[in-house]
Amino acid sequence: MDKPYTTLFMLMSVDGKISTGDSDSMDVDQDFPKISGIKEGLNQYYEIEKQTDFFSLNSGRVWVKIGANEKREEPKKIPVNFVVIDNKPHLKETGLIYYAKKSEKLIIVTNNESHPAFALKNQYQNIELILYKGDINLADLLGRLKTKYGANRLTIQTGGTLNAEFMRQGLIDRVLIVVAPALVGGKDTSTLIDGESLHSTNELFKIKALEFVQAKPLNNSYLLLEYTVKNI
């Protein structure tokens, strides 16, 4: 398959949680800065994030959790192409305008013909739309991003359910994790890989083995982990 080299890049707790609770109002980006012993080293994650690929794939739901629709300030332009999977839609006009101003291109991927991005496309020439009929074909999407937009490398930063879809379809090549010194807990709190549980040993082929690359201690008890994925 002709697709970008993909990296799953996430911030998680030691127990694998990528959120602080079971509602969309709770989020590590908003909540970790409030917790003593965690907030002190958090900036290291954002510094590493600045070094990731020029194509960044996320979901509208995750962006809303970090306050995309509440942003009113004038953003600084950065040379990043944001790819956002957003069906509901979660993003509103304010969030779309903010990220259109901030990004090189804002590529909205949706199966919702009424997505507000359609109304903004003529006003913001860097807004692109990829419309699917029915379910979004992730493999096809990655192929389009490479052939049409020149995405040779892409960073994935979505939620646990979508992360699982990419992983189980063999679409993630590398995993880069910043581990925060925290134990969050909660059986309904999102983890790095969620999605449908496996139901029998006949599905064990869906589990992806990893090959270790590095473990780098960071300041304030944070840890950077890197693996390549064995997509056999």
Side-chain angles (χ1 to χ4, degrees), residues 60 84-90 109-113 115 134-136:
V84 188
I85 297 176
D86 190 38
N87 290 329
K88 190 176 179 179
H90 294 277
V109 184
T110 187
N111 58 18
N112 186 340
E113 296 181 0
H115 197 284
D135 293 339
I136 292 172

Side-chain angles (χ1 to χ4, degrees), residues 199-227:
H199 304 292
S200 74
T201 54
N202 293 331
E203 297 178 289
L204 290 178
F205 69 92
K206 295 180 180 180
I207 297 176
K208 299 297 182 181
L210 305 178
E211 184 172 349
F212 176 76
V213 176
Q214 67 165 323
K216 181 181 178 182
L218 303 176
N219 296 329
N220 302 98
S221 300
Y222 276 73
L223 180 66
L224 176 68
L225 295 176
E226 181 179 1
Y227 296 90

Side-chain angles (χ1 to χ4, degrees), residues 173-193:
D173 301 299
R174 183 174 73 132
V175 178
L176 189 65
I177 303 296
V178 175
V179 182
L183 293 171
V184 175
K187 66 182 180 65
D188 296 320
T189 300
S190 187
T191 63
L192 182 69
I193 301 292

